[in-house]
Amino acid sequence: MLDLVAEPQKNAPPQGGVYALGNFDGVHRGHRAVVKAAIDKARAIGASARVLTFEPHPRSFFKPDLPPFRLTPAATKIRLLKALGIDDVIVEPFTPQLSQLSAQDFVERILIQRYGAQHTVAGFDFVFGHGRGGDMKQLRNWLAPHKIGVTEVTPFRDARGEIMSSSRTRDALRHGETATAEHILGRAWSISGVVERGAGRGAELEARTANIALGEHLRPQFGVYAVHAARVGDPFLRQGVGNIGTRPTVDGKNELLEFHLFNFNEDIYGQEWEVELIDFIRPEQAFANLEALRSQIARDIEAAKVKLAARAK
């Protein structure tokens, strides 16, 4: 028998409630439909509504050498899920032990024994257990003898009949299609992180910038974007322009988000900021010298202001 708990848990897991199951990377409109169904069911039966998700993402666990792909790293995902009105977000550590657990054992040992689920909710394509051996049909079959119900949420489609999905969102961002990504997510896609101190070239280029490492975020199309930005937890959005890539004219190595905020001159080093990609302006490119780069930055700022003004109308 596998020992599921690799390390002693500090707190006893919650018992009972309705559980929305999934990875929820992106917390897109389809994911929100799953969470809403869980909340609705929980309110109907007088139970707590919970999300049960997994970290690290199983894809990161099984294929650690693949390029970064996360739409929402763990902290961002949890924050977005909580904002939907769920009572609790439970993060189940995706350990080697859990990865080897059969689908039926996952149902019996995790959902029933550990969490005492009263009802479960998941999307139509939810799979689980070793080798992705369990699906929604099997989930119903294994929970039915325990009088635990299952709600299967059908595909969430847009007006064109296309399914809202994380993979479709990733594809859109890799092509700089911010409007498509926003359509699927129901909000602008963002990158968040701690602002790092850079080389200090902002004054020389006449545009003070802040840097955020991309970390495990998906790499969208490298280039320049019109952006909104705010300190994490602060509702006030500031307008600006950002470049995602390696900055080939002055660096050429480190992948990061560098952003400049209009009419803003505060010291924000060490603070956690979130930057939304509003509209793509141009691909990243190398310039012959800093003067050429300075001139292009000025044009990028004007282009960003035009795009953001048009969005505000």
Side-chain angles (χ1 to χ4, degrees):
M1 183 70 71
L2 290 170
D3 179 12
L4 262 183
V5 184
E7 298 179 0
Q9 294 201 0
K10 295 180 181 180
N11 300 306
Q15 288 290 310
V18 177
Y19 285 80
L21 310 174
N23 289 312
F24 298 102
D25 185 31
V27 194
H28 55 63
R29 292 166 66 187
H31 292 148
R32 295 211 297 273
V34 172
V35 173
K36 183 181 185 302
I39 293 172
D40 290 347
K41 181 65 178 181
R43 301 299 176 257
I45 66 174
S48 295
R50 313 183 196 278
V51 165
L52 178 60
T53 189
F54 309 90
E55 290 292 340
H57 192 291
R59 176 174 158 180
S60 300
F61 179 88
F62 288 114
K63 299 179 180 179
D65 296 329
L66 287 181
F69 70 96
R70 294 291 295 265
L71 295 169
T72 47
T76 304
K77 179 177 75 173
I78 293 169
R79 174 165 51 84
L80 290 171
L81 287 168
K82 287 182 176 179
L84 298 177
I86 202 78
D87 294 317
D88 198 7
V89 177
I90 300 166
V91 179
E92 180 72 25
F94 197 83
T95 61
Q97 293 85 356
L98 185 64
S99 73
Q100 293 300 311
L101 200 65
S102 72
Q104 187 167 4
D105 278 346
F106 172 83
V107 170
E108 294 177 354
R109 299 182 62 186
I110 301 296
L111 296 181
I112 298 173
Q113 295 176 23
R114 178 176 293 181
Y115 294 115
Q118 296 169 250
H119 192 92
T120 61
V121 181
F124 69 102
D125 56 352
F126 178 65
V127 291
F128 57 94
H130 179 65
R132 299 163 65 89
D135 57 19
M136 292 300 290
K137 179 179 179 180
Q138 290 167 309
L139 183 65
R140 282 190 294 270
N141 291 340
W142 289 326
L143 288 176
H146 301 275
K147 308 301 182 184
I148 300 172
V150 176
T151 296
E152 179 176 334
V153 178
T154 57
F156 191 92
R157 300 178 185 271
D158 60 21
R160 299 187 297 271
E162 297 185 65
I163 295 177
M164 305 296 193
S165 69
S166 299
S167 58
R168 187 177 161 211
T169 308
R170 295 185 190 105
D171 185 63
L173 290 168
R174 290 185 180 114
H175 290 86
E177 298 170 0
T178 56
T180 299
E182 184 171 354
H183 168 67
I184 300 168
L185 295 172
R187 66 182 188 285
W189 184 68
S190 64
I191 293 172
S192 59
V194 175
V195 175
E196 301 175 349
R197 196 171 295 276
R201 295 190 183 91
E204 186 178 359
L205 294 172
E206 300 177 0
R208 185 177 180 181
T209 59
N211 300 334
I212 294 177
L214 296 179
E216 61 179 336
H217 287 93
L218 170 87
R219 273 47 172 173
Q221 181 173 353
F222 282 179
V224 178
Y225 293 80
V227 304
H228 285 159
R231 294 179 183 86
V232 170
D234 186 345
F236 182 71
L237 293 176
R238 296 184 177 276
Q239 296 185 338
V241 63
N243 182 81
I244 298 177
T246 61
R247 303 177 299 170
T249 304
V250 297
D251 185 358
K253 296 179 181 179
N254 298 320
E255 297 177 342
L256 53 79
L257 163 61
E258 183 179 34
F259 63 101
H260 165 76
L261 301 180
F262 307 147
N263 305 313
F264 184 81
N265 198 35
E266 295 180 22
D267 184 346
I268 62 174
Y269 296 123
Q271 298 179 8
E272 188 174 4
W273 277 66
E274 183 171 15
V275 181
E276 297 178 342
L277 305 191
I278 302 302
D279 206 345
F280 184 73
I281 295 175
R282 64 170 177 84
E284 185 177 53
Q285 64 186 99
F287 294 90
N289 50 55
L290 290 183
E291 179 59 36
L293 175 58
R294 184 185 299 110
S295 297
Q296 183 60 55
I297 289 173
R299 291 191 290 272
D300 292 339
I301 289 174
E302 292 307 311
K305 288 180 177 179
V306 169
K307 288 179 177 294
L308 293 171
R311 177 186 176 90
K313 290 181 179 178

